[in-house]
Amino acid sequence: LRRPLKKRLPKRERQPVEAPQAPNECWALDFTSDNLSTGQSFRSLNVIDEFNREALEVEVDTSLPAERVVRTLDHAVAWKGLPKAVRMDNGPEFISEKMSLWAEKTQVELKFIQPGKPTQNPFAERFNGTFRLEFLSPNLFDDIDQVCEAAFEWKLEYNEQRPHQALNGLTPELVLQNHRKQQSLLISGTNSGG
């Protein structure tokens, strides 16, 4: 019997990672995993806006195939608008045809990190560390519904109440509000001839 050939990844170029200057310039995607009290494993797909480190989505289930990744992105887009780019690793869900078709349809650039270089996705890695330390490690959940509900509550607290050292002690929500105020002042100054 012939062994199936391993799917070869295209050569990935290292891309500079700079903090975006506005929302929706680049989102970061990554997975985390853990186990329920029953021993069953589950995963979370974390979607972060790199501008203000806002957790846009924390999608939890026992399986998160490419269709769920696309659906989760569509859900985030419905309330946040389209990002210009999405940064992610080379996991099968991300290199799938469904993801490529989504990017083509929405005109979102897919920024793949080099294989084996998670530090090239630093915003997702930082979020995952915090998510594991503050949410996954201290809690033992009995079922997926319990994880989903708790993850939603944790995400709200993370975005709206928890100060972030990387944001000079502000919350992601406050950083976004400050950005909107600055943009309004710039627009009103331009309109008034200033």
Side-chain angles (χ1 to χ4, degrees), residues 70 73 82 84 86 88 97-110 112:
V70 168
L73 287 171
L82 274 171
K84 291 179 184 172
V86 175
M88 62 202 133
E97 185 179 356
K98 287 177 175 47
M99 192 72 177
S100 296
L101 290 172
W102 178 84
E104 189 178 313
K105 181 181 85 174
T106 58
Q107 299 296 297
V108 172
E109 178 189 359
L110 299 181
F112 291 99

Side-chain angles (χ1 to χ4, degrees), residues 109-182:
E109 178 189 359
L110 299 181
K111 292 185 172 187
F112 291 99
I113 65 172
Q114 293 175 304
K117 307 275 187 180
T119 56
Q120 292 178 9
N121 196 0
F123 298 101
E125 288 299 315
R126 180 69 179 102
F127 177 85
N128 287 354
T130 301
F131 185 67
R132 179 158 299 289
L133 183 69
E134 295 181 6
F135 181 75
L136 293 176
S137 294
N139 296 303
L140 186 60
F141 300 102
D142 296 324
D143 58 49
I144 288 296
D145 290 338
Q146 191 180 36
V147 183
C148 291
E149 188 176 318
F152 179 78
E153 294 297 324
W154 183 87
K155 181 182 80 166
L156 291 178
E157 182 180 326
Y158 178 87
N159 288 336
E160 298 171 7
Q161 298 173 15
R162 183 185 177 279
H164 293 242
Q165 186 176 359
L167 301 175
N168 296 319
L170 299 177
T171 65
E173 182 63 31
L174 277 175
V175 170
L176 187 59
Q177 288 174 15
N178 290 344
H179 176 77
R180 287 179 179 150
K181 285 177 190 172
Q182 288 175 344

Side-chain angles (χ1 to χ4, degrees), residues 16-37:
V17 179
E18 299 171 5
Q21 300 303 303
N24 290 345
E25 283 185 16
C26 190
W27 292 356
L29 274 64
D30 205 2
F31 288 101
T32 56
S33 59
D34 204 353
N35 293 316
L36 299 172
S37 61

Side-chain angles (χ1 to χ4, degrees), residues 180-194:
R180 287 179 179 150
K181 285 177 190 172
Q182 288 175 344
Q183 293 304 305
S184 294
L185 290 173
L186 286 174
I187 291 169
S188 64
T190 304
N191 290 342
S192 63

